[in-house]
Amino acid sequence: MAKTLSILRFPDPRLFKKAKPVAAVDDRIRELVADMARTMYEAPGVGLAATQVDVHERVVVIDVSEQANELLVLINPEILWRSDELKTHEEGCLSVPGVYDTVERADRVRVRALGLDGQPYEFDADGLLAVCVQHEIDHLDGKVFVDYLSPLKQSRIKTRLRKQERQAAAA
């Protein structure tokens, strides 16, 4: 049975570690995916990268469906193509709870990844899925959406999250 994992919170230095490629899609990786999916759905969120649960391998789970029943598993994902057209979207992150801000990203992307069966597949994404794919792959590369914001905003977010942690610890 899948278990719920702890999600690292910004500015934890482990969030900035670059993930290594998965060597083989085996039972250990399938178990990690099940645990990550459960964690994402319970949070609740629409995407989760292994980096966020302190596993530094290139694994992502995403589900942008209305009913949260269309799990997309990306193992060793790579963006093959990005549209020149950029769009600005409001983003949030399970590692940066309660913080939302606008980030500019490619409007459309083409992605290659391995599935749970270890077989490669490709797909095109736009809208929320394109945003989510780029956001989660950033996590695998040691980048958090806050990195796209101004230094002043980054500082304010760190201060606010540290204050929340102190209040939670005191409670």
Side-chain angles (χ1 to χ4, degrees):
M1 171 126 171
K3 60 185 176 291
T4 305
L5 305 170
S6 293
I7 298 172
L8 298 177
R9 290 177 62 139
F10 179 82
D12 190 306
R14 294 171 291 181
L15 286 169
F16 303 99
K17 209 169 158 183
K18 196 167 165 64
K20 294 184 174 10
V22 170
V25 180
D26 53 17
D27 287 343
R28 182 183 66 82
I29 293 298
R30 285 187 277 278
E31 184 178 334
L32 172 63
V33 165
D35 293 346
M36 286 174 59
R38 178 177 178 153
T39 303
M40 175 188 71
Y41 287 128
E42 284 184 4
V46 295
L48 187 67
T51 303
Q52 293 176 270
V53 293
D54 202 21
V55 176
H56 302 282
E57 293 182 83
R58 298 187 75 79
V59 178
V60 166
V61 294
I62 293 173
D63 189 340
V64 296
S65 67
E66 288 291 319
Q67 289 77 32
N69 62 354
E70 295 175 22
L71 184 67
L72 186 60
V73 176
L74 307 175
I75 300 169
N76 296 339
E78 56 181 317
I79 295 176
L80 302 174
W81 172 85
R82 284 175 160 75
S83 67
D84 291 334
E85 185 185 352
L86 302 175
K87 281 256 170 81
T88 303
H89 293 271
E90 185 173 74
E91 293 187 28
C93 180
L94 295 175
S95 291
V96 194
V99 175
Y100 299 89
D101 214 316
T102 53
V103 177
E104 188 175 64
R105 297 188 185 272
D107 183 42
R108 297 182 320 281
V109 293
R110 170 159 271 270
V111 181
R112 178 188 302 139
L114 300 177
L116 276 179
D117 59 2
Q119 296 303 305
Y121 70 102
E122 292 183 13
F123 65 96
D124 293 321
D126 60 11
L128 179 58
L129 181 57
V131 170
C132 200
V133 165
Q134 293 172 85
H135 177 113
E136 300 308 333
I137 290 176
D138 273 355
H139 276 300
L140 300 180
D141 293 333
K143 204 169 181 180
V144 181
F145 90 96
V146 174
D147 295 341
Y148 291 97
L149 307 179
S150 71
L152 177 62
K153 281 186 176 179
Q154 289 180 36
S155 175
R156 286 181 176 158
I157 291 166
K158 284 178 190 171
T159 301
R160 184 163 79 192
L161 292 177
R162 285 193 181 113
K163 183 179 176 187
Q164 287 174 0
E165 276 184 27
R166 282 194 305 275
Q167 288 171 338

